[in-house]
Every structure is written in C-alpha cells, then in structure tokens.
Amino acid sequence: MLLAHNYMRDEVQEIADITGDSLALSIEAARTSADVIVFCGVHFMAESAAILSPNKLVLLPRPDAGCPMADMVTAEALEELKAHHPGVPVVTYVNSSAAVKAHSDICCTSANAMKVVKSLQENELIFVPDRNLGRWIARFVPEKKFIFWEGFCPTHERMTLDAVLKKKSEHPEAMFVCHPESLPEVSALADHVCSTSGMYDWCRETHTGKFIIGTEAGILYKLRAENPEKEFILASPALICPNMKLTSLEDILFSLETMTPAVSVPEEIRLKAKQALDRMLAVPRD
Ligand code: SF4
C-alpha cells in the first residue's frame, strides 16, 4: 500500500492509495491487510507506521527525508527537562522521533492537541517539541500551566507576518487559514487555525470562493482537486518543506523494486512509544 502525506509532490499524491496527515496514514497502515507499506513522507512518519504495524515492512523511499523540528528534541534532552519537573506529564506532538515518544506520557496531533491536554488530570504539563502549536493550544486551556520546548517547524516559521499581510492586501476578499505550527502573530491574523485535515474540511464547507493558505504548498494539490470552483493562494512562496519534496516517482519505483530502505523501531522503544500513541488514541474525539 502506498501512502502519501498531504505535503508530498503532486505526482506522488496522484499515485498514492491514500493521502492524509501523518497519524491518519499510520492508522491506515495498521488497518490494511497489505504486508508492505511504502510511506511517502519523512522519517518520523514511517517510524509511527512501524510502531503501529510491527509485523509489516515499512519502506521510506527517501531515508534522508527528515524533519528539522523532530530533530530539535532528543530523548536525553527531554529526560533532563523531566528531571527538573518531576511528576509533570509530557505531551509530545507526533512530529517527533520514536525515541522521544517513548519518553513521553501521551502524544497529540495538531488536530487533537487541545483534547489531549484537557484530558490530563494534572494542571501542569511539558509540551514537546513545537512551541507554536503549544502556545496556540495554551490560549484555550488557561487553567493549565505549560512548559514549552522551544522547537519549531522552519517551513511554517518562514511564513512571515509581512508576507501574509501582503497577500491579504492583494486579496482582501479571501479568507486566511493557517496551521498552528505558524508564528503566533500569523495565527492571530487567521480566520481559522487548524490541522491539514481540518483545512480540507473547512475550505470545502466555508461558503467563500477564495482562500489564502498558510501551510506547506503540497496541500494545494488536493484542495484544488476537491474544490475546482474555488481559488487557493499560498500565503508565502517560502512554504515549501525541502524534506517533503525529496521523494520522487523514481525513488518510489526503486523502493518497490528492491523492497528497501526499510524503517524499523527497536522493540523496547516501540512498545513505550506505542503506549503514548495508544493513550492519545483513547482520548474521545468529541
Ligand atoms: S513541514 Fe515542518 S514539521 Fe513537516 S516535515 Fe517539514 S519541517 Fe518537519
């Protein structure tokens, strides 16, 4: 089964069996009866699929496709922070390595982070690694004290306030929607802030003809395909993640022909990381 993240190149999304966000794809990978998963995305995503599907072969066509934000925290550095805050639970965004997930209490996505945080009994929490997602959520949960990790997505942080203001002045009738990985001053300008899956729903359901899109450029492919009567404008030309653009059709063909390169997670780490993912999946959606 070929899975492609929403930020992949258009031609990769076109041949995928399923497109989606990282966690949705990993859940699909676990559900399918296919023995081999070709994960077109970045390394932490293939790890998540391997965590949830230990008996399947998970291939990552470009093993050099990493995530700078995921690399901003290590299990050792997280343990150091935890030592300063004994008993404080760690909420870890799925954009993180399996090792970091294994040292966390619960995972979250950009779509469910608020529900995950609210599900905790404790009034204090460590939020890892995205400071922008963490601070966005914290606004809606004032009763809890957040300890932020100062990680960030370089792609979303390249979308500056000036770039968004310029687009808004060029298209005053357009609605602006952005991802919570964006800078706080950018999110503050948005008509709506949501995950990539939320963006598909919101743009489909909102009765407006024009949208300024504040997330990685790959999302435009499906937005335009699903809403041919609507116009989608990228908020900034800098919204291109170099890692997400690495995977080519040739790389996928090579993976399928050679059944490499495979991604696996050591069993001890896998089991602990799975606990954090399972705890997240147990949080009621509504
Ligand atoms: S878009 Fe940001 S969070 Fe996603 S892989 Fe690229 S750097 Fe990482």
Side-chain angles (χ1 to χ4, degrees):
M1 175 177 262
L2 202 141
L3 307 178
H5 188 268
N6 294 324
Y7 294 163
M8 287 280 107
R9 298 183 195 186
D10 294 1
E11 64 271 24
V12 172
Q13 293 192 50
E14 195 167 338
I15 63 157
D17 294 306
I18 300 178
T19 59
D21 59 34
S22 62
L23 189 73
L25 291 178
S26 292
I27 292 171
E28 285 301 329
R31 275 197 195 131
T32 177
S33 57
D35 298 328
V36 180
I37 306 296
V38 182
F39 208 119
C40 302
V42 296
H43 192 263
F44 76 78
M45 299 176 181
E47 274 191 336
S48 292
I51 290 166
L52 295 175
S53 306
N55 299 322
K56 290 174 185 161
L57 177 63
V58 179
L59 303 175
L60 180 66
R62 285 296 296 248
D64 52 340
C67 169
M69 174 159 69
D71 293 342
M72 287 176 192
V73 56
T74 62
E76 293 73 26
L78 178 56
E79 277 305 315
E80 250 180 62
L81 181 66
K82 284 168 69 174
H84 287 104
H85 303 280
V88 175
V90 177
V91 178
T92 294
Y93 188 25
V94 288
N95 295 25
S96 55
S97 68
V100 167
K101 288 184 179 82
H103 288 259
S104 308
D105 293 276
I106 187 167
C107 289
C108 73
T109 68
S110 54
N112 68 14
M114 201 176 331
K115 287 199 173 90
V116 165
V117 165
K118 284 186 172 174
S119 76
L120 299 174
Q121 301 288 319
E122 297 85 349
N123 289 324
E124 197 176 3
L125 61 115
I126 296 171
F127 194 93
V128 175
D130 186 9
R131 63 186 178 195
N132 294 322
L133 174 63
R135 290 196 167 96
W136 174 255
I137 297 303
R139 293 166 34 137
F140 302 98
V141 198
E143 67 276 19
K144 295 200 192 269
K145 183 183 170 212
F146 282 61
I147 299 159
F148 300 107
W149 193 271
E150 292 296 329
F152 59 92
C153 165
T155 299
H156 283 89
E157 285 213 354
R158 281 197 298 273
M159 172 174 49
T160 62
L161 181 63
D162 283 353
V164 176
L165 287 171
K166 184 165 177 287
K167 284 289 179 217
K168 280 174 76 76
S169 71
E170 288 167 1
H171 306 279
E173 73 282 29
M175 300 276 249
F176 173 49
V177 55
C178 76
H179 195 280
E181 288 174 19
S182 309
L183 289 163
E185 61 268 31
V186 168
S187 293
L189 271 187
D191 296 295
H192 192 53
V193 178
C194 61
S195 65
T196 52
S197 44
M199 231 174 260
Y200 293 123
D201 294 343
W202 192 75
C203 290
R204 187 176 54 247
E205 287 158 14
T206 303
H207 296 292
T208 305
K210 213 183 217 189
F211 297 87
I212 298 168
I213 301 296
T215 192
E216 212 277 343
I219 198 166
L220 295 173
Y221 171 74
K222 205 160 90 182
L223 279 175
R224 287 174 176 153
E226 288 182 350
N227 306 277
E229 74 292 0
K230 298 187 178 183
E231 191 180 345
F232 299 96
I233 300 147
L234 199 62
S236 160
L239 280 166
I240 293 176
C241 173
N243 288 284
M244 285 288 189
K245 295 296 177 267
L246 282 175
T247 309
S248 68
L249 294 179
E250 289 74 22
D251 296 324
I252 296 167
L253 181 62
F254 180 81
S255 268
L256 289 168
E257 285 176 346
T258 62
M259 289 290 127
T260 64
V263 170
S264 61
V265 177
E267 190 62 4
E268 192 192 333
I269 292 177
R270 189 188 76 79
L271 289 174
K272 287 188 190 154
K274 188 169 181 297
Q275 271 181 5
L277 283 169
D278 284 345
R279 191 170 165 199
M280 171 190 78
L281 294 171
V283 173
R285 290 190 184 186
D286 290 307

